């Protein structure tokens, strides 16, 4: 990876974090000329760097100019999973992309029917859990506990 140079590392960071074209579900359409313009990078550098980005987990479909950032796909899917409130947005975005193997890969991760059945517990900004909630072993699940001090921490 060190042998790829600064331009490839910069394009990875740009395409996976700050590109205006990026989509939170990790797959989006972006032509190399647009990448060059948005990243203020020479087009020849972008064209030469795109194949090397696969070493960093970015796949590219040149026929449809589709980028797939594996790290973002995994993060958003583990966040949203089969959540029926997130799936319509993912479905709408995927429907806007041309059919290709990258799109099929991302689609296969999601329950596109929107029938999520994962039990979730969200309380006062605490992280989402999939575990069985018990007010004795998990004070976050107890609606009567409203502060860190009552959970046994803080003062």
């Amino acid at each position: 990876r060190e042998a790829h140079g600064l331009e490839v590392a910069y394009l990875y960071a740009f395409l996976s974090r700050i590109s205006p074209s990026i989509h939170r579900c990790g797959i989006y359409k972006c032509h190399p000329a647009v990448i060059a313009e948005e990243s203020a990078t020479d087009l020849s550098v972008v064209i030469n760097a795109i194949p090397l980005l696969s070493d960093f987990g970015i796949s590219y479909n040149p026929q449809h100019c589709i980028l797939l950032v594996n790290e973002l796909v995994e993060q958003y899917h583990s966040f949203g999973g089969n959540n029926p409130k997130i799936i319509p947005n993912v479905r709408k975005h995927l429907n806007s992309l041309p059919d290709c193997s990258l799109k099929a890969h991302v689609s296969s991760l999601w329950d596109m029917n929107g029938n999520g059945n994962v039990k979730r517990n969200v309380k006062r900004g605490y992280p989402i859990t999939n575990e069985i909630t018990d007010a004795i072993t998990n004070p976050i699940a107890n609606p009567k506990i409203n502060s860190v001090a009552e959970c046994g921490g803080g003062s």
Side-chain angles (χ1 to χ4, degrees), residues 21 28 30 37 41 43 47 49 53 64 74-77 81 89 91 95 116 133 142 144 147 151:
S21 302
Y28 60 99
C30 199
E37 183 179 334
T41 306
L43 179 59
I47 291 170
L53 291 171
H64 299 292
E74 291 168 13
Q75 287 175 354
Y76 198 60
H77 185 259
N89 294 323
R91 183 185 309 123
N95 285 340
T133 55
N142 187 337
K144 295 180 182 177
S147 72
C151 290

Side-chain angles (χ1 to χ4, degrees), residues 61-130:
N61 178 306
Q63 181 182 3
H64 299 292
C65 298
I66 302 291
L67 285 161
L68 181 129
V69 182
N70 288 315
E71 183 181 3
L72 293 179
V73 170
E74 291 168 13
Q75 287 175 354
Y76 198 60
H77 185 259
S78 65
F79 167 75
N82 291 326
N83 187 328
K85 293 183 179 181
I86 292 176
I87 290 171
N89 294 323
V90 173
R91 183 185 309 123
K92 181 179 177 183
H93 176 66
L94 290 175
N95 285 340
S96 72
L97 299 174
D99 291 335
C100 67
S101 61
L102 299 178
K103 177 181 170 180
H105 169 70
V106 174
S107 294
S108 70
L109 297 174
W110 293 85
D111 174 8
M112 285 295 136
N113 296 321
N115 299 325
N117 56 6
V118 178
K119 182 177 180 181
R120 302 217 178 252
N121 174 39
V122 181
K123 177 113 174 110
R124 294 184 162 271
Y126 288 98
I128 295 172
T129 62
N130 287 332

Side-chain angles (χ1 to χ4, degrees), residues 23-38:
H23 191 274
R24 66 183 158 264
C25 73
I27 185 171
Y28 60 99
K29 186 171 182 155
C30 199
H31 191 276
V34 174
I35 295 170
E37 183 179 334
E38 290 178 346

